[in-house]
Amino acid sequence: MLDADFFRRWMAVTAASVDREAERLTALDSPIGDADHGSNLQRGFRAVAAVLDKEAPDTPGAVLTLAGRQLISTVGGASGPLYGTLLRRTGKALGDAAEVSEEEFAQALRTGVDAVRQLGGAAPGDKTMIDALVPAVDALGESFDAAGAAAEEGAVGTTPLRARKGRASYLGERSIGHQDPGATSSALLIGALKEARGA
């Protein structure tokens, strides 16, 4: 079973991963975006780690709802609302339970991913974070390992795609050949699950 401590660790591990990879995320964002994806997410997840330390919510749902709210209020551009929606809707779907099963978490995360799809209007193949999140949720029922691998594969798989949503879509054919920064950061978020479980 997964408790509030696990979800706090998940956010802490994600914050550390984003810190480590911020320059790479921004480098990926330079040719097809605003060159601020890494710095924006770094600021957001640092704020998430700080608020979770201070407020220490005691249910999985409350941890993710607070994290999502914090991202929406501290991250500019599209990333804040998209990541904030993902975590808030996942948290709301988990409800007030003190512990949740991996299966319940997988179902809740799918609710969160569906909310992101609705907000951004993106589908798999559009070269967005959805390309990492959808295969990750599909694999989550198997294991955190499988979900992390599926997310990473989905992120790498955005490279040959033409962007059909977001800032990168303005570039048309020129967006081909670049790995999507949102899918890449989503793979970091999903990859952090395994480390949080082992911590």
Side-chain angles (χ1 to χ4, degrees):
M1 296 294 280
L2 308 171
D3 60 7
D5 280 346
F6 167 80
F7 286 94
R8 281 198 292 269
R9 283 199 305 276
W10 182 30
M11 292 297 100
V13 172
T14 300
S17 295
V18 168
D19 250 0
R20 272 197 312 273
E21 299 287 337
E23 282 183 24
R24 181 168 78 104
L25 293 173
T26 291
L28 289 173
D29 197 33
S30 293
I32 58 173
D34 293 331
D36 59 1
H37 189 64
S39 53
N40 277 346
L41 277 191
Q42 192 175 38
R43 182 172 68 250
F45 276 102
R46 279 178 178 170
V48 165
V51 78
L52 290 177
D53 267 354
K54 195 171 77 178
E55 298 195 20
D58 57 2
T59 65
V63 170
L64 295 186
T65 305
L66 178 58
R69 272 208 316 270
Q70 192 67 20
L71 286 173
I72 289 169
S73 64
T74 54
V75 180
S79 302
L82 291 168
Y83 271 103
T85 296
L86 175 68
L87 295 178
R88 274 180 63 190
R89 291 298 289 274
T90 302
K92 285 203 167 97
L94 290 174
D96 298 325
E99 291 186 327
V100 296
S101 67
E102 288 187 20
E103 191 181 339
E104 287 167 331
F105 171 50
Q107 287 170 349
L109 190 61
R110 189 176 295 281
T111 302
V113 172
D114 287 345
V116 171
R117 289 178 69 163
Q118 213 171 0
L119 179 65
D126 284 346
K127 198 181 182 94
T128 70
M129 63 198 292
I130 292 302
D131 289 305
L133 290 173
V134 167
V137 169
D138 289 344
L140 199 55
E142 196 184 318
S143 69
F144 287 167
D145 260 359
E152 184 60 38
E153 196 178 317
V156 172
T158 61
T159 305
L161 299 177
R162 175 179 173 162
R164 291 201 279 268
K165 290 287 170 193
R167 180 74 186 238
S169 65
Y170 305 154
L171 296 174
E173 298 287 332
R174 284 179 299 147
S175 65
I176 295 170
H178 298 284
Q179 186 169 320
D180 183 68
T184 307
S185 57
S186 295
L188 293 179
L189 175 75
I190 300 298
L193 284 167
K194 178 187 165 187
E195 195 180 324
R197 154 53 60 83

